[in-house]
Amino acid sequence: MPEISPNFTPRGWQEDAVPVIMKKWLSGQKVALVNACPGAGKTFFGCFSYFACLNSFPIRKVLVVSPLESTKDGWADACVDVLDLALDRDFTASSTYNPFAFGYIGISTTYAGMVANIDNLRHLVDETTLVILDEVHHLSEPRTRKDFEGKEYDDKTGAWSKCMNLIEQRCGLVLALSGTPFRGDGRLVPFLPYELINEYEEDVVVKRKKLLYNDTKATRTYKPIADFNYTYTQSVADGVNCPTKFKFVDSSIAYNDQNGGGKGMLSTETRNTKLSKLLRGAYESEDYVRLCLQEAATTLQEHRDEYPNDTKRPACLVVCKDVNHMEKYRPLIRECFGVNPVEVHSKKKGSAEAIKAFKDSDDLVMSSVKMVSEGTDIPRLTVIVYLTNDGTFTAFVQINGRDIRSVDGFCQEVVTILPDTWINRDYADMFQNDASPSITTSEVLDRDPIEREESDSWFDLVDIELFEDISEFFKPIPVSPKIIGKTVEKKKSRRFYLRNDIKKAVARCVRLSGNNNSLYKVLHSSSNKAVGNYFMRIDDEKLRINKEKASMLRNDNMTIPQLQYKLEYLKKHEQSLKSR
């Protein structure tokens, strides 16, 4: 029977959590979920839980599945530190041996490795195996929607879940661990219990491959239910993690787009479309990035002056959008910090080794592209510069969880420097107040096709009385293939001709107004607004649109009746210009 290492002392929350999950397992339920914030010590807790299982259950083996190679190695190292027992971290798809016959108590692998090794693993896992799922939110329920030919399609995380189902059916117990038990794409995480907060159904008309379907759309809102929660606020109160201060950097940013670009303040922009353009401009702007890096360099120097000499020296992490931006920021980092950064990204060989070396070195700054995130433990990080476009709360929490760990019992306020946007402020508030977002899913319940093609049936779906004031509204538009030699020209849709006529009508109105090019945007905007106002008021539910959708109307997302209405509106405007 293994013993706990004298160098390992369980934290208070770890001792409190073990009886809770034991009680659930003893009740006959196989899966237990522990939601502990980043930096809480989930890896050591997993090893401690395995030790507790040895006395209460017929558990003798353990399979640890984690998202990254670095976390896979971290689990193997932790098992040696806590229990002085070894996990096989080199087990691959080509391995034909039984690791349990060579003194290993289990296997540490990644989710991708689990898929590659599934044929071997499913025969090694039995009712004496404890399966630990680290960062379980990387799993997701497989997509079961079908494409137009009726073939099912799936994605990577769905494949991981299918393989995990095979393992779960054969194993004894499952311990799911996560600091963020939710996903940014809105899909549910398998094996986890959820509370249904809200549910409603609505009738919708959906178009698929020239067929209209009468569907019922069910929308449900869920929240994950953990068996044990250990929040960031609790960890700060216990001295496990450090308090975080967010410094928001605002500036006037210029951006370029297909309409000629523009300018705006990050802090005052609320429209997501323009905000994404401003952020893209900010990450391209050397002046703005220099402003963030200078603030980081000043803060880091203050931390280094305040930390004890016998403590690992504080460092800074710059989180970059992509490799091109990392290379662009290199001279700016050298200018602000006085040294070149340690650069790590997935395409660079030796990045994992560089992260390990950085952990115990005295280097000032590291720049990373999606490498230093969940499961990567660098306690001496005290400053983060957040310059990435990953807009999910999961990524926000995991990245900001890299610098909150206390170092050798010394705990001081850590700092994250990031763009001053409304979404970053919301995320920061949720992070500091232990908020957990709910998950909203939508599902089509039934599909009853209307046996008419769209090109012939749209007229029948419109109530003529709604548009009785427009005389030419329902004149059919000829759509017929033209034969040029032996080549048959592709049949054009009604929308194509309508959009073309709208462009011509706008051009005529601009010419009548004195060829002022700025009128193009004004005419499109005013006519779109007229369409939105009209179709919000009509009684027909198939044609009525809501206020939010009305404010986002464009030619390319309008229905045929809406395009017809816009064209007639522009024709009336053209007639009024001619009569002046």
Side-chain angles (χ1 to χ4, degrees), residues 244-508:
T244 300
K245 179 179 180 180
F246 291 95
K247 290 186 177 180
F248 299 96
V249 180
D250 193 16
S251 182
S252 178
I253 303 295
Y255 64 88
N256 295 317
D257 62 9
Q258 59 185 4
N259 296 321
K263 198 172 185 179
M265 298 292 293
L266 287 171
S267 59
T268 59
E269 185 54 57
T270 58
R271 292 169 296 178
N272 288 341
T273 303
K274 187 175 180 181
L275 184 58
S276 63
K277 296 177 182 178
L278 289 173
L279 280 175
R280 189 164 58 247
Y283 297 151
E284 294 288 345
S285 169
E286 291 188 3
D287 292 337
Y288 181 79
V289 174
R290 184 181 289 109
L291 192 64
C292 295
L293 293 175
Q294 287 173 346
E295 180 66 32
T298 302
T299 304
L300 182 62
Q301 188 57 51
E302 293 173 356
H303 287 185
R304 288 204 153 208
D305 293 340
E306 294 174 4
Y307 266 62
N309 292 331
D310 58 345
T311 305
K312 293 178 182 178
R313 302 283 279 167
C316 173
L317 172 67
V318 181
V319 183
C320 304
K321 175 184 174 183
D322 53 40
V323 177
N324 291 334
H325 283 80
M326 173 187 284
E327 294 174 351
K328 184 176 181 179
Y329 298 162
R330 186 185 303 135
L332 297 176
I333 294 174
R334 185 168 56 247
E335 174 188 334
C336 296
F337 288 87
V339 295
N340 284 323
V342 177
E343 297 179 345
V344 293
H345 54 83
S346 58
K347 297 180 181 179
K348 185 175 182 179
K349 291 184 178 180
S351 289
E353 291 74 16
I355 293 174
K356 289 182 181 178
F358 184 83
K359 183 186 299 187
D360 297 318
S361 72
D362 195 39
D363 293 328
L364 275 176
V365 59
M366 169 183 283
S367 59
S368 165
V369 179
K370 297 182 179 179
M371 280 288 287
V372 183
S373 184
E374 55 198 2
T376 304
D377 186 11
I378 309 178
R380 71 188 192 95
L381 287 176
T382 64
V383 181
I384 290 178
V385 184
Y386 192 84
L387 298 175
T388 178
N389 64 341
D390 194 332
T392 65
F393 183 59
T394 302
F396 186 91
V397 172
Q398 292 293 350
I399 291 174
N400 282 283
R402 297 315 99 203
D403 66 346
I404 60 177
R405 293 161 170 80
S406 60
V407 181
D408 299 334
F410 185 79
C411 193
Q412 181 184 352
E413 187 177 66
V414 296
V415 176
T416 298
I417 298 165
L418 66 170
D420 189 4
T421 64
W422 69 267
I423 192 167
N424 281 343
R425 285 189 174 274
D426 281 358
Y427 283 171
D429 184 66
M430 293 169 66
F431 178 82
Q432 293 180 319
N433 291 287
D434 304 322
S436 178
S438 57
I439 301 170
T440 301
T441 64
S442 296
E443 177 186 4
V444 175
L445 300 181
D446 51 17
R447 295 174 177 173
D448 300 323
I450 302 172
E451 298 297 334
R452 290 176 298 212
E453 288 197 349
E454 182 198 357
S455 58
D456 297 323
S457 65
W458 75 270
F459 179 87
D460 299 326
L461 297 174
V462 180
D463 185 355
I464 298 179
E465 294 179 359
L466 296 175
F467 310 104
E468 59 186 2
D469 59 324
I470 303 177
S471 59
E472 298 181 350
F473 194 81
F474 293 104
K475 285 190 175 180
I477 300 174
V479 182
S480 59
K482 299 177 182 178
I483 299 177
I484 307 173
K486 294 183 179 180
T487 304
V488 179
E489 190 181 89
K490 186 177 179 180
K491 186 177 182 179
K492 301 238 179 346
S493 67
R494 292 180 182 276
R495 288 187 178 84
F496 174 84
Y497 288 102
L498 283 168
R499 287 196 293 263
N500 218 23
D501 288 344
I502 286 172
K503 289 179 183 178
K504 293 176 182 178
V506 170
R508 290 195 299 270

Side-chain angles (χ1 to χ4, degrees), residues 536-561:
M536 280 192 296
R537 296 195 304 267
I538 64 177
D539 296 329
D540 194 314
E541 291 202 8
K542 293 179 181 177
L543 297 175
R544 188 172 63 240
I545 58 177
N546 57 38
K547 187 174 181 180
E548 181 181 352
K549 186 175 179 181
S551 64
M552 301 173 63
L553 284 177
R554 302 186 309 273
N555 284 0
D556 56 355
N557 65 12
M558 286 186 186
T559 62
I560 290 175

